[in-house]
Amino acid sequence: MKPLDPRLLRYATASRRFLVAAALLGLAQVALAIIFSGLLAWILARAAAWAGIVGEVPGAGDGPLLPELVPALLGLGAVVLGRAGIAWAVESVAAQAAVKAKSQLRRGAAEALAAKVAAGQDSPSSRDSAHAVTVLGSGLDALDPYFSRYLPQLVLTALAIPLHLGVLATQDPTTAVIVALTLPLIPLFMALIGFSTQAAQQRQWSRLDRLSRTYLDLVEGLATLKVFNRAHQQRQNLREISEAQRQSTMKVLRISFLSGFVLELAASMSVALVAVSVGIRLIDGQMDLAVGLFVLLIVPEAYAPLRQVGTNYHAAAEGVAAAEDVFEILDGAPARDAAEKLSAGAAAGAGSSHTGASGAGSSHTMSAGPLDLVISGLSVERGSTPVIDGLDMRARAAEITVLAGPSGIGKSTLFAAIMGFIPSSGGILLSSQGAEARTPQLTGADRRDLIAWSGQRHGLRSGTILENIAMVSGEMVPDSTWTRQRAQETLMDLGFTANDAQLRLDRHIGVRGAGLSGGQSHRVAIARALFRARSQGCPVLLLDEPSAALDDASESQLILTLKAEAAAGRTVVVISHRSALREAADRVIDLSTIPTEAAA
């Protein structure tokens, strides 16, 4: 992340007020530091003159020393208290800003993730969940040093350096030139060390993310591992990942300590250079003692903010890395217009009907009319390895097209490419039947508006069955008689009885369908895709292994429903290993034989 990423101001509005407050408090800090140095230099010079070490000091009287110094000492004490109060105010404001900013980022990222899943822009998995928990949990907690130390110091540095240089130029131009020439050394060292720190911190953050994902996978699969007596073999794997995380953390700490030493050394050498110059001129009588002391007290204050920026950056590095991931989540959030989607759903539902459990005779209209799914020259690579290379195929409207082939051939990859979840090359078009000129190629987001889909992972959320079924672009269609009737119809089409469907609509389930069996969870997910297809008039229905967790009776009912959807003019594309679906299909495309059969 940049020293001050503009996205932080956009996504965490609390940081804007904090920066304004930090700027005002920083100005007060710089002013008090200059006043402190001036008072202390005058007191020391006056004491030296009273003792006969040097000549008279401007502004000094001829009376006793202590009464003369009392006002200056009181002023010095007031300045010290003022600096302490401002330091406390900065910490307090920073702590409040950090809490508010983290809350805003967490809320925004959580809503963005939920919207992506509901809108079909992401397919949730346990590893993605572990990554999200790590980023939004301990990752964002590490932003505390960023707000409490780094940002205030960054603002203070931007204000302090020009003010200190200006004051030095009025008192001693020679010192001002020396400071101006030596100050860039500190950013130079900061940049050189920062590259190593950033790389080490990214590796450490990646290992922490990997550790959390591995641990979650282990916990979720522990029952299976115990059944097959393989749990003990995961101990060494977890131990190795934990040790790599420990080593990377210690490496980051070593670099941080080294950077602190280098910055302190550069600043100390620069101050020593100024001190030698001032000392020589004091001995030669070319400079007053009060001015020399004032310069020597100001110079460390000029270097300190810049030096502290580098030190505090290392303290905030983990939070900065986590914030990058949060910004990526927020940058990729789908634009949602729930009102438009819901009104479209209601309008589509008002003029459509369905015959019910038999699955025959569906008359649901499609907003875009019947469209073929046409794929030409599609290629997808994983790393440098091609998974799909030059695929040509056409899934026709009013037909059930089954994509078959052995595991690993690329069926789920093709599914993700059609949905726009992964980058691909080639053409993925939705074209009217018999059209000589194909419609323009749509982006993944545009295609998703025309596709109702259900993946291998059902992605059910915590809530009622009705809330999980009646979803349109991440928003639930308002609960109404029409909504309940349409949701009940989809459940009946998938083998639930009328009484069971009415009862299950208000049944509350947990995350990932907790409380339902595997087959029930998948049927609810398929019902959600059917609800979207019918209420939004989607011309394409895309399902990935829809019957994998179903028994024969439920699979037969699903096939009847898919035939009804195809009879209504919808393009039904199913990825499946099951022989029953292949036998019921109008067209079977074996991806292991492409492009010859698929292009026919």
Side-chain angles (χ1 to χ4, degrees), residues 481-554:
T481 302
W482 175 86
T483 303
R484 287 180 169 270
Q485 181 180 359
R486 187 54 50 85
Q488 183 177 353
E489 287 178 357
T490 58
L491 289 175
M492 292 170 61
D493 288 344
L494 294 173
F496 292 94
T497 65
N499 292 332
D500 287 342
Q502 182 62 46
L503 175 66
R504 289 174 182 273
L505 288 179
D506 295 316
R507 179 180 176 180
H508 193 282
I509 60 175
V511 178
R512 299 177 186 170
L516 299 178
S517 68
Q520 288 174 329
S521 298
H522 276 83
R523 281 194 286 174
V524 170
I526 297 170
R528 179 171 57 194
L530 289 174
F531 183 93
R532 171 177 167 77
R534 295 167 178 177
S535 63
Q536 297 298 293
C538 298
V540 179
L541 178 63
L542 179 61
L543 305 176
D544 189 358
E545 298 290 357
S547 61
L550 304 184
D551 56 30
D552 292 341
S554 298

Side-chain angles (χ1 to χ4, degrees), residues 212-353:
S212 64
R213 294 185 181 194
T214 302
Y215 185 74
L216 181 60
D217 286 346
L218 180 60
V219 171
E220 288 186 338
L222 190 58
T224 304
L225 292 172
K226 292 292 289 184
V227 168
F228 292 97
N229 195 28
R230 308 286 290 182
H232 63 281
Q233 294 189 358
Q234 295 299 319
R235 297 176 184 172
Q236 183 62 29
N237 182 35
L238 193 60
R239 186 179 295 112
E240 291 175 356
I241 297 176
S242 300
E243 178 63 19
Q245 164 68 10
R246 185 193 66 81
Q247 292 178 357
S248 63
T249 302
M250 295 305 297
K251 185 174 182 179
V252 171
L253 290 175
R254 286 196 298 269
I255 295 176
S256 299
F257 291 137
L258 176 62
S259 66
F261 168 75
V262 171
L263 295 178
E264 289 288 346
L265 179 62
S268 299
M269 293 179 63
S270 300
V271 172
L273 184 62
V274 172
V276 170
S277 172
V278 170
I280 292 175
R281 284 181 288 161
L282 283 174
I283 293 174
D284 289 344
Q286 301 176 10
M287 178 182 290
D288 292 333
L289 179 61
V291 175
L293 291 174
F294 178 71
V295 168
L296 289 177
L297 290 171
I298 281 290
V299 168
E301 294 287 346
Y303 287 103
L306 195 57
R307 188 175 68 249
Q308 290 299 320
V309 165
T311 302
N312 291 328
Y313 177 80
H314 296 292
E318 183 177 351
V320 170
E324 285 281 3
D325 288 349
V326 173
F327 292 152
E328 289 180 5
I329 294 173
L330 293 171
D331 289 340
R336 299 187 299 175
D337 189 348
E340 180 181 347
K341 292 292 186 180
L342 296 181
S343 62
S352 59
S353 61

